[in-house]
Amino acid sequence: MYQFEKIKLVIWDLDDTFWQGTLSEGDILIPDSNIKLINDLTDIGIVNSICSKNDENKVNAELKKHGLDDFFVFASINWESKGNRVKQILKEMNLRETNVLFLDDNHFNREEVKFTCPEIMIGTPEDLDHLIANCKTAEKKDLSHKRLKQYHVLETKKAEESKYDTNNDFLFASDIKVKVEEKCINRIDRIHDLILRSNQLNFTKIRSSKEELEKVINDPSIRAGVVFVSDRFGDYGLVGFYALRKQKLLHFVFSCRVLGMGIEQYLYNSLGRPELLISGEVVSDLSSLEIPAWINQKNAKAKSVSKLKISELTEHSVLIKGPCDLFQIYPYISNTELFDTDFSRTTDDGTQIESTSHTTQMVEAIRLSGKQKELVNNEVPFVCSDIYDDSFYVNNYKIIIISILQDANLGVYRRKESGERFAVLEYLHPLTDKANWDKIISGEYYNAGIKFDKKMLTEFCEKYEFIGRNTPEQVVSNLNFIRQNISNECQLVVMLGGELYYEKNANEAYEDRHIVHKAINDAIRQWANGVKNVSFIDVNKYLVDQSSFYDHFNHYIKPVYYSLAKDIVDVVNSTLGTEIKETSKLKMVQVRIKEILAPLYYKIKKRK
């Protein structure tokens, strides 16, 4: 059963839900009670949307005939499955699943949406009587339909945004205006509603009563204010509130309608970055010291975004996420305060964690719900707890550098019942093939130091199936998904794999790896040419002959890593306008000499 007080949006199915009958099969009938319900929900401040399998032109004509076409926003009307469409509606409207009610007569559609949006509220046509009853007792606090109008503005804005190359260009062209008023006692009702209903941009989560708010606003020792925002698309009205005592914020809250505009960052830095104790999760990062230049511009014309100087960059602007190739490159890069790293690692018990940079895990990190991730972690004892870490989507990185080495090596498994995927161990010896078990348990086949036994493998095989190694097409599909779900301005850099055959190879899994790498590399090269903010670094420029290898197909001599470090430095500097450098050649030479002399040193030591 839904919780009416939480609802901000109702998403309607149409056939046999909003109206009686199926539009594509003939006449339909919209009950008067449903038409009134749409009006009542809007009067309360609850917005309506549509997710229907139908012909869009026919639906629009029908809604217009009944004067309802302006009552719905972000309508999704086509013949595709509903799960991802509902998720996209929520993303475009900047709403949380917990504040949305989805109504549909079809059991499959309801389950599909629930799978994609686990926290969404689900209802059927039988719930409409309850919804009508709720509306009769609810306060009609938006008779002018401000919230509906504001979402129409957002709808227009989203359509316009797609015409710009970068999000920053769009923000500069939007002519965003912010006004702050500190005489706000007469706004007490709107402020109270804001702090009760806002979660994503409610930094302190203090849910004060009206009486408590009055005391805060009237306290002469507290500086309180409300925030109004408008842009060339329309007026968003009162969208923010703050209360500041002795340089400590008691309240700092904003409407999700202005999410992505930088309003909270603008105000926080304008207030002098006071102390702020953040409670729970928020979707905005206040770490940047910059006041967004696109807000309150003197010249509202679109501007090009100037490159950042090194002094203006915050730490942790670049993420390097990958296995041994990126791990070996990193020591040759200076100014490493700009970088976060996530490399393959070995735990205290000797288990090798190598799969967090696999593109399958990076896709599942955002595709799966928290419950699905927990399910895999509970059922599969040999996966690491952070296998689905999604921090690279959440953190505001300007550059993310990843490698394809693990995609060319690891096997991918899928949960039979519900489809959750992850990659682990070499593809050549699947865990689901009982013929491999003895050698995997003994370690004759690579097992990453995991202490397998037959009971563990039997239980695993009951619930999971092997689906193979990622094809070049799957790698590109995964990369494209990652590109679409990180920040628009973030540069995604892919480290390609080596295409030179290693003559000393003794590992069966690597016998054709140079061929596999070439197929994946070619697919990435072709894809990257047509996608903005994607580039790649090609190790093959530096693999001259067998002397370029160290002791493994994926392990190279230090000069190769040094050259790759220079390429990474060039990407960072050209993207961010920085002036970082690779470390000196002298250091590289010293490391190389030490590497060459090490075997001789140990021979002498052994003789002694």
Side-chain angles (χ1 to χ4, degrees), residues 165-179:
D165 290 336
T166 70
N167 187 54
N168 273 13
D169 287 342
F170 173 70
L171 289 169
F172 271 110
S174 295
D175 189 19
I176 300 171
K177 302 295 184 186
V178 174
K179 183 177 71 171

Side-chain angles (χ1 to χ4, degrees), residues 167-378:
N167 187 54
N168 273 13
D169 287 342
F170 173 70
L171 289 169
F172 271 110
S174 295
D175 189 19
I176 300 171
K177 302 295 184 186
V178 174
K179 183 177 71 171
V180 177
E181 288 185 6
E182 296 197 346
K183 292 181 180 180
C184 55
I185 191 64
N186 61 329
R187 311 279 187 179
I188 190 75
D189 289 338
R190 170 60 183 141
I191 296 169
H192 183 242
D193 183 62
L194 183 66
I195 67 171
L196 287 184
R197 293 173 66 87
S198 295
N199 288 290
Q200 298 182 89
L201 291 175
N202 191 338
F203 288 82
T204 65
K205 303 288 193 303
I206 297 173
R207 314 291 188 182
S208 301
S209 65
K210 282 188 183 180
E211 293 74 19
E212 290 169 333
L213 278 173
E214 286 181 9
K215 290 180 181 179
V216 167
I217 293 171
N218 289 325
D219 189 331
S221 68
I222 295 177
R223 178 184 172 189
V226 288
V227 182
F228 298 86
V229 172
S230 64
D231 60 19
R232 68 183 177 91
F233 302 98
D235 191 342
Y236 300 87
L238 194 162
V239 296
F241 171 70
Y242 69 92
L244 182 65
R245 175 192 279 146
K246 294 181 179 179
Q247 281 304 104
K248 180 177 181 179
L249 283 163
L250 308 178
H251 287 282
F252 196 64
V253 55
F254 301 85
S255 167
C256 62
R257 293 196 302 276
V258 295
L259 184 62
M261 296 171 69
I263 308 302
E264 63 281 3
Q265 181 186 340
Y266 173 87
L267 183 62
Y268 187 61
N269 288 335
S270 298
L271 291 173
R273 302 183 62 81
E275 180 183 348
L276 175 59
L277 182 61
I278 298 177
S279 174
E281 293 185 4
V282 290
V283 293
S284 177
D285 180 9
L286 298 175
S287 61
S288 175
L289 301 177
E290 300 173 69
I291 292 179
W294 54 81
I295 294 177
N296 290 343
Q297 302 172 76
K298 292 180 180 179
N299 181 357
K301 292 182 179 180
K303 300 178 180 179
S304 296
V305 183
S306 60
K307 297 262 181 111
L308 293 167
K309 301 299 182 185
I310 182 72
S311 59
E312 297 172 330
L313 276 173
T314 57
E315 297 179 358
H316 317 299
S317 298
V318 182
L319 172 66
I320 300 183
K321 183 179 179 70
C324 56
D325 54 346
L326 292 175
F327 176 80
Q328 293 291 342
I329 293 167
Y330 184 65
Y332 294 108
I333 303 173
S334 61
N335 300 89
T336 51
E337 67 275 8
L338 292 177
F339 293 79
D340 282 348
T341 59
D342 181 10
F343 297 128
S344 300
R345 63 191 188 276
T346 302
T347 63
D348 292 339
D349 65 359
T351 302
Q352 296 170 35
I353 307 299
E354 58 183 358
S355 59
T356 56
S357 61
H358 194 283
T359 62
T360 296
Q361 260 86 298
M362 297 174 76
V363 167
E364 298 292 83
I366 191 171
R367 192 185 73 85
L368 301 183
S369 68
K371 290 182 181 178
Q372 289 175 287
K373 296 176 185 179
E374 184 178 0
L375 177 67
V376 175
N377 270 286
N378 290 338

Side-chain angles (χ1 to χ4, degrees), residues 87-121:
K87 190 170 186 176
Q88 183 63 25
I89 291 172
L90 270 58
K91 181 179 179 181
E92 290 178 344
M93 295 183 69
N94 298 327
L95 289 175
R96 299 166 69 225
E97 296 174 5
T98 52
N99 297 123
V100 179
L101 172 63
F102 173 70
L103 297 171
D104 199 304
D105 68 299
N106 186 289
H107 173 74
F108 178 82
N109 290 338
R110 295 196 301 271
E111 290 301 315
E112 180 188 26
V113 169
K114 191 69 175 175
F115 178 80
T116 309
C117 306
E119 297 181 351
I120 199 170
M121 292 180 275

Side-chain angles (χ1 to χ4, degrees), residues 420-530:
E420 296 86 351
R421 299 174 301 162
F422 66 92
V424 68
L425 302 186
E426 291 178 348
Y427 76 99
L428 200 59
H429 305 117
L431 293 172
T432 51
D433 185 346
K434 292 184 180 180
N436 295 326
W437 284 6
D438 287 339
K439 292 184 178 180
I440 289 172
I441 293 170
S442 68
E444 183 175 344
Y445 289 162
Y446 177 70
N447 63 14
I450 300 169
K451 296 176 176 59
F452 287 103
D453 57 48
K454 289 188 177 180
K455 180 176 181 295
M456 181 192 299
L457 291 168
T458 300
E459 291 174 350
F460 174 72
C461 291
E462 288 173 355
K463 296 181 178 179
Y464 293 84
E465 60 185 350
F466 178 69
I467 58 175
R469 175 174 56 179
N470 277 348
T471 64
E473 293 77 16
Q474 184 62 58
V475 173
V476 167
S477 175
N478 288 350
L479 290 172
N480 198 51
F481 180 94
I482 294 165
R483 171 61 272 171
Q484 290 175 352
N485 285 278
I486 58 178
S487 165
N488 289 334
E489 302 81 48
C490 180
Q491 180 80 6
L492 179 64
V493 182
V494 184
M495 178 70 68
L496 303 183
E499 299 172 8
L500 179 65
Y501 178 68
Y502 179 46
E503 295 174 355
K504 295 182 180 179
N505 176 61
N507 187 333
E508 182 184 4
Y510 283 82
E511 185 60 26
D512 67 343
R513 191 59 52 84
H514 60 299
I515 300 172
V516 173
H517 278 181
K518 187 176 190 317
I520 294 175
N521 291 349
D522 287 345
I524 292 172
R525 291 180 182 114
Q526 183 177 357
W527 167 72
N529 285 334

